[in-house]
Amino acid sequence: MRRLDASDPGFAAAFDALVNDRRESASDVSADVAAIVARVKAEGDPALADYTARFDRFDLDASGWSISKADCAAAYAALAPELRGALDLAAERIRAYHAAQRPEDRDYRDAAGARLGARWRAVDAAGVYVPGGRAAYPSSVLMNILPAKVAGVERIVMVTPTPDGTVNPVVMAAAHIGGVDEIWRVGGAQAIAALAYGTDRIAPVDVVTGPGNAWVAEAKRQLYGVVGIDMVAGPSEIVVVADAKNEPHVIAADLLSQAEHDPTSQSILFTDDGDFADAVAAAVAHVIPTLGTAPTMQASWAEYGAVIVVPNLADAIPLCDRLAPEHLQLAVDAAEADALFGQVRHAGSVFLGRQTPEAIGDYVAGPNHVLPTGRRARFSSGLSVTDFMKRTSFLALDADALAAIGPAAVALATAEGLPAHALSVQNRLKPNSP
Amino acid sequence: MRRLDASDPGFAAAFDALVNDRRESASDVSADVAAIVARVKAEGDPALADYTARFDRFDLDASGWSISKADCAAAYAALAPELRGALDLAAERIRAYHAAQRPEDRDYRDAAGARLGARWRAVDAAGVYVPGGRAAYPSSVLMNILPAKVAGVERIVMVTPTPDGTVNPVVMAAAHIGGVDEIWRVGGAQAIAALAYGTDRIAPVDVVTGPGNAWVAEAKRQLYGVVGIDMVAGPSEIVVVADAKNEPHVIAADLLSQAEHDPTSQSILFTDDGDFADAVAAAVAHVIPTLGTAPTMQASWAEYGAVIVVPNLADAIPLCDRLAPEHLQLAVDAAEADALFGQVRHAGSVFLGRQTPEAIGDYVAGPNHVLPTGRRARFSSGLSVTDFMKRTSFLALDADALAAIGPAAVALATAEGLPAHALSVQNRLKPNSP
C-alpha cells in the first residue's frame, strides 16, 4: 500500500506513477486467439468440441452442448427463498433503471420543409459471455442480459464454459430470470468466435458483451467490427473520498470490496485527515485476515492500494478525474457529496453519502455494474440499453425542400470533385430534363 | 454488374454471395502499424517528423508543424461566395440536427427511497483525422467536428497529412467553421498514435474519429481502449429501391454517386420491373463516360454493382436487411416509402421518396454522413453527439433506503463468495456496531 501526502514535495511524481500504473495483463495472447478464431470460423462445431475437450475437459457431443431453459427454471425454483428474493429484487430494480434508458425516436419537419428523424431498433440477437469458475457471477448475468431484454432483443444467447461439467445453479437461475433463449456450454475465445461467425449449431449474433479472461477480451477485440462489443474491461477499481467523521472500519470494508475481486484490482482512499488515513490503513490490515478472500485482498492492497492525504477534500476531485475511476464513493455528508459530485468530470459510477457503499451498486441499485475501467471513464460509459440498439437516421424531401437545400449540395459535391453526387441532385432540381 | 432475379432458381445462392462479398482490403498492415505506434509512443515528436518526411515528403521542423486558426479564417474568407454559403448552410443544418441529440441527465427518487440518476459530460478533448489528397472532404470535417462541438468538447484537434506541403483550402475553411482548436500536419498511423499517447507538442485526446486509409483504420483499432474511436469504416455503399415510375437516368446517377467514391464501393438497385432494371443499367453505362470520375465508377459498378428484380418492392426489404446498407434510398411515392421504411430493420440512413437523393445526406441534410458500412448497421449507428460524451451513473441512499435494499445485496454477495462486499453493506445496516 502506498501512502501519499499531497503536501509532500515528491507528490506530483508519485501521483503520476499511480495514474500510469499498468495493472492489465501484459501477456500477449493475440496469436493464440487469432488461431482459435480462424479455426472456429473455418470448422465450426468440431473446433468448438475439440477446444472444449482440451480446455474444459468436457465432451460436448457426449454430455450435451446446451443447458435447457427447463433446467434454468428448475435451478431458480430450487434456490433458497432469501437468495431467490434477492435476485428478483435485483432484476426488478435493474429493469426499472434501464427501461428509462430506452431512447426516443425523432420525426420532425424543419424550417426548410425537410422531414428528418432518427429511429431506434434493437439488434436481432445478442450474445452474453459468462465466465466459469471463480468469476461466475449471477449479478453479471442480470447486468448483461436485462439491458438487452429491455432493448427488445428477440434472441439472447448465453455462452459459458462448464469445466469438468460444473454448472453454477445461481447463474442458471439468473439466466432464467433474465429470459435467456439459449445457453451453450462453450467458453474462451472459441465461444466468442462462434457467436460472431456462427456455426451449424449456434446462429451468429450481432452484439457480444460480458466479462472474461485475457483470451475472451482479446477475441472480442479481434472480432470488433464483425460484431458489436462492449468496452474491453480491465481490473476493477474504487476511489473513496472520505472525511474523518466516518468510522475507519466501514471505509476499510469499502476499499476491500474491490480488492477482493482480483489481485490486480485497485482501491484508493482520499482523505483530508492524516490520522484518519492511518486508522483506515490499520483497519484494512485488521479486517483482511478475517475474510475468506484474504489472499486476493492482501495481494491487491499491498501492490495497488493507496491512501492519499489532501489538504481539503475538494482537492481530491481533480486528482480523481485523472484516475477516471470505475467507482467513486463520496463518503461525506449529503450536501458535501452533492457539491463534490458537481466537480467530478470522469467516473463510471458515483456513490453519494455515508450510507451508499459501492457494493450496493454491484447488485441491487439498478444502474449497470459493467463500467469502464483503467481510466476509460474519460471517454466511455457503463453498459446500457443503447448498446443493444442502433439508430437509423432518415430524411424525406419534397420538391420545395430539395429546391431550398439542393443547390448547396451541388456546390459542395462539385468542390469535392464528386460529379455523380452533384448530378443526382441536379437531375431532380430540373425534373423535366432528360 | 450482376443482374439477379428473385424468381430464378439460383437466386438464393447468388444473393448469399452478394451479401458475403468481402470488399474491404485484405492487406495486413497490422505489424507495420504496431511498429509505427510503438515508435511514436516511445519517441514522440522526432518519430512524427521522421515518418512525415518519409511518407509525406514534408519537413515539419523546417516548414511548420501546424496550421494556424488565422490561416483557416483566411481560407474561409477567400472562398467563392456560393461555396462559402453552401458550407455555412451545411454547418447550420448539421448543428441543428445534432443539437437535438444531446442526451438529458436523469436524477430521480424511486419507491425504495433511493436517489438514482445518470449525468452526461463531454470528453475533455477530441481528435479528428482528415485524410489528405483525393479523400480530403470538407463535408467530413464538418460531420466529425460539429458533433464534438455540440457535445461541448473544449479542445478539438485536427490532424491531416499535407503531402509535399499541399493543404486544401476548403478543408481549412471547414475547420474554421467547425471551430477547430489545433491543426497538426501529420497523418497516417503516426498521427493516430500521437493523438492517443500525446507527444511533447501534441497533448493526448480522449476520442479519435474520422476516415482514413488502411493504416489509419488499423491504428484506430489497435488503440481502441487507449482512446475511444468511432466505428472502423469500410467502403461506401448504397441500396436503391425504385419502381418503374422513376426516370432511369435519375436512378442511375443515384447509384453512381456511391460508385464514384472508390473502386470498392457498392451500388445495388432493387426494382419490381425487369424492363426498368435494364433501362437503369443502360443509363448507368451511358452516364459513366460523361463524368470525370468515370474510371472509379466503372471499376466499382463492374465489380460490385448489382440490379435485382423482385416480384414486389416489399420483397426487397428483407433482402435489404441482410445487406444492412449504409445508405438506403426508397425512391417510390411518399406513402409507399413510409410503408417500406416501417419494415426496415437494418440501415445506417434512409432516404424517403423520389425527391430525396442520398447525396443530399452527404452534405446538407443535417444527419451525420459517418455511417456504419459492411453490414455493421445490424449493430451500430452513425456518428453522434454521444460519441463525444460519456455517462456517469450515480446513487444516493439514506439509512431507510439502505435498509430496504441492502439485505438483498448481502445475500447476493455471500452467494458470489465476496465477503468484503457483504461486510461493506452490513457495517451500515448495523450502524452502532464497532
Side-chain angles (χ1 to χ4, degrees):
Chain A
M1 187 269 290
R2 271 170 270 199
R3 189 188 194 285
L4 307 180
D5 192 314
S7 60
D8 286 345
F11 177 74
F15 190 76
D16 280 352
L18 190 70
V19 169
N20 295 319
D21 253 357
R22 183 170 164 75
R23 291 179 295 126
E24 298 180 30
S25 158
S27 69
D28 188 0
V29 297
S30 63
D32 288 355
V33 167
I36 292 171
V37 166
R39 191 174 156 211
V40 171
K41 185 182 181 189
E43 298 175 25
D45 290 329
L48 288 181
D50 184 44
Y51 286 126
T52 303
R54 202 190 311 173
F55 298 138
D56 299 336
R57 301 159 305 280
F58 185 73
D59 186 333
L60 286 165
D61 290 322
S63 306
W65 282 71
S66 60
I67 296 171
S68 73
K69 291 168 81 166
D71 284 350
C72 292
Y76 172 75
L79 284 184
E82 187 198 5
L83 185 53
R84 194 166 64 222
L87 275 178
D88 284 338
L89 177 69
E92 180 194 320
R93 293 185 59 84
I94 294 165
R95 267 193 213 102
Y97 184 84
H98 287 76
Q101 285 180 339
R102 284 184 61 111
E104 284 187 22
D105 292 349
R106 298 161 57 199
D107 189 344
Y108 65 99
R109 198 171 294 273
D110 72 11
R115 184 180 152 214
L116 291 161
R119 194 177 73 179
W120 289 87
R121 286 282 184 275
V123 302
D124 287 346
V128 173
Y129 189 90
V130 177
R134 185 175 64 160
Y137 294 144
S139 58
S140 290
V141 175
L142 296 180
M143 291 289 184
N144 279 275
I145 288 172
L146 291 174
K149 204 77 182 176
V150 169
V153 177
E154 289 178 5
R155 176 172 166 258
I156 301 178
V157 184
M158 189 169 125
V159 290
T160 188
T162 57
D164 302 305
T166 316
V167 296
N168 179 330
V170 194
V171 163
M172 289 168 65
H176 169 76
I177 295 174
V180 167
D181 298 294
E182 305 163 20
I183 303 180
W184 299 96
R185 304 178 77 151
V186 293
Q190 59 272 22
I192 305 297
L195 289 172
Y197 290 119
T199 69
D200 286 343
R201 278 192 175 78
I202 306 176
V205 303
D206 302 298
V207 171
V208 176
T209 70
N213 62 20
W215 279 262
V216 170
E218 176 62 18
K220 284 165 72 177
R221 182 191 291 272
Q222 289 186 13
L223 290 164
Y224 168 62
V226 178
V227 288
I229 63 168
D230 56 348
M231 175 56 58
V232 175
S236 190
E237 62 215 13
I238 189 171
V239 169
V240 179
V241 176
D243 60 25
K245 287 194 270 178
N246 291 280
E247 292 189 74
H249 78 281
V250 170
I251 300 301
D254 297 341
L255 294 166
L256 291 173
S257 73
Q258 293 304 305
E260 74 178 341
H261 271 299
D262 193 272
T264 59
S265 297
Q266 183 164 51
S267 307
I268 297 174
L269 170 69
F270 285 94
T271 183
D272 56 353
D273 185 308
D275 292 340
F276 179 75
D278 295 333
V280 171
V284 166
H286 178 77
V287 172
I288 286 177
T290 69
L291 300 176
T293 49
T296 305
M297 294 192 292
Q298 180 58 44
S300 159
W301 182 249
E303 181 74 15
Y304 298 113
V307 171
I308 303 173
V309 181
V310 288
N312 299 289
L313 291 185
D315 300 323
I317 302 304
L319 300 171
C320 281
D321 276 338
R322 292 195 51 209
L323 294 161
E326 180 187 17
H327 304 108
L328 171 61
Q329 195 178 312
L330 301 172
V332 293
D333 290 336
E336 188 177 5
D338 276 3
L340 291 175
F341 182 42
Q343 300 304 311
V344 171
R345 294 175 75 101
H346 309 306
S349 194
V350 179
F351 301 84
L352 301 164
R354 302 186 195 283
Q355 300 300 319
T356 318
E358 184 281 322
I360 288 285
D362 288 334
Y363 296 111
V364 294
N368 212 288
H369 79 196
V370 180
L371 294 165
T373 57
R375 300 186 62 226
R376 298 189 187 90
R378 290 176 294 126
F379 56 81
S380 67
S381 310
L383 193 65
S384 101
V385 165
T386 54
D387 290 314
F388 298 97
M389 304 183 79
K390 67 267 169 49
R391 183 185 355 91
T392 297
S393 57
F394 62 89
L395 176 72
L397 302 182
D398 58 20
D400 290 343
L402 185 67
I405 65 176
V410 173
L412 290 165
T414 304
E416 292 187 353
L418 295 172
H421 283 67
L423 183 63
S424 75
V425 177
Q426 278 168 323
N427 279 335
R428 292 175 169 89
L429 291 175
K430 298 176 280 182
N432 297 320
S433 69
Chain B
M1 187 269 289
R2 273 171 270 198
R3 189 187 192 285
L4 306 181
D5 192 312
S7 60
D8 287 344
F11 177 73
F15 189 74
D16 280 352
L18 189 71
V19 169
N20 295 319
D21 253 356
R22 181 168 164 78
R23 291 179 295 125
E24 297 180 30
S25 157
S27 70
D28 187 0
V29 298
S30 63
D32 288 354
V33 167
I36 292 171
V37 167
R39 190 175 157 211
V40 171
K41 186 183 180 189
E43 298 175 24
D45 290 329
L48 288 181
D50 184 44
Y51 286 126
T52 302
R54 203 190 312 172
F55 299 138
D56 299 334
R57 301 160 304 279
F58 184 74
D59 185 333
L60 287 165
D61 290 323
S63 306
W65 281 71
S66 60
I67 296 170
S68 72
K69 291 167 80 166
D71 285 349
C72 292
Y76 173 76
L79 284 184
E82 187 197 6
L83 186 53
R84 194 167 62 221
L87 274 178
D88 283 338
L89 177 68
E92 179 193 321
R93 294 185 58 86
I94 295 165
R95 266 193 214 103
Y97 184 85
H98 288 77
Q101 286 180 339
R102 284 184 62 111
E104 284 186 22
D105 291 349
R106 298 161 58 200
D107 189 343
Y108 64 100
R109 199 172 294 273
D110 72 11
R115 184 179 153 215
L116 292 160
R119 194 177 71 180
W120 289 86
R121 286 282 184 276
V123 302
D124 287 345
V128 173
Y129 190 90
V130 178
R134 186 175 61 159
Y137 294 143
S139 58
S140 291
V141 174
L142 296 180
M143 290 288 184
N144 279 276
I145 288 171
L146 291 173
K149 204 78 182 174
V150 169
V153 177
E154 289 178 4
R155 176 172 165 256
I156 300 178
V157 184
M158 189 170 126
V159 290
T160 188
T162 57
D164 303 304
T166 317
V167 296
N168 179 330
V170 194
V171 163
M172 288 167 65
H176 169 75
I177 294 173
V180 167
D181 298 293
E182 304 164 19
I183 303 180
W184 299 97
R185 305 178 77 151
V186 292
Q190 60 273 22
I192 305 297
L195 290 173
Y197 291 118
T199 68
D200 285 343
R201 279 193 175 77
I202 306 175
V205 304
D206 301 298
V207 172
V208 176
T209 71
N213 61 19
W215 280 261
V216 170
E218 176 61 19
K220 284 165 72 177
R221 181 190 293 272
Q222 290 186 14
L223 290 164
Y224 168 62
V226 178
V227 288
I229 63 169
D230 56 347
M231 175 56 59
V232 174
S236 190
E237 62 214 13
I238 189 170
V239 169
V240 179
V241 176
D243 59 25
K245 287 194 272 178
N246 291 281
E247 292 190 74
H249 78 281
V250 170
I251 299 302
D254 296 342
L255 294 166
L256 291 172
S257 73
Q258 293 304 305
E260 74 179 339
H261 271 299
D262 193 272
T264 60
S265 297
Q266 183 164 51
S267 307
I268 297 175
L269 170 69
F270 285 94
T271 182
D272 56 354
D273 186 307
D275 292 340
F276 180 74
D278 295 332
V280 171
V284 166
H286 178 78
V287 171
I288 286 176
T290 69
L291 299 176
T293 48
T296 305
M297 294 192 290
Q298 181 58 43
S300 159
W301 182 248
E303 181 75 14
Y304 298 112
V307 171
I308 303 174
V309 181
V310 288
N312 299 291
L313 291 185
D315 300 322
I317 302 303
L319 299 170
C320 281
D321 276 338
R322 293 195 50 210
L323 294 161
E326 182 187 16
H327 304 108
L328 172 61
Q329 195 178 313
L330 300 172
V332 293
D333 288 338
E336 188 177 5
D338 276 4
L340 292 175
F341 181 42
Q343 300 304 310
V344 171
R345 294 175 75 99
H346 308 305
S349 195
V350 179
F351 301 85
L352 300 164
R354 300 185 196 285
Q355 300 300 318
T356 317
E358 184 282 323
I360 287 286
D362 287 334
Y363 296 111
V364 294
N368 212 288
H369 79 195
V370 180
L371 294 165
T373 57
R375 301 185 61 228
R376 297 188 187 92
R378 290 176 294 124
F379 56 81
S380 67
S381 310
L383 193 66
S384 101
V385 165
T386 54
D387 290 315
F388 298 96
M389 304 182 79
K390 68 266 168 48
R391 182 186 354 91
T392 297
S393 57
F394 62 89
L395 175 73
L397 302 182
D398 57 21
D400 290 343
L402 184 67
I405 65 175
V410 173
L412 290 164
T414 304
E416 292 187 353
L418 295 172
H421 283 66
L423 183 63
S424 76
V425 177
Q426 278 168 322
N427 279 335
R428 293 178 169 88
L429 291 175
K430 298 176 280 184
N432 296 320
S433 70

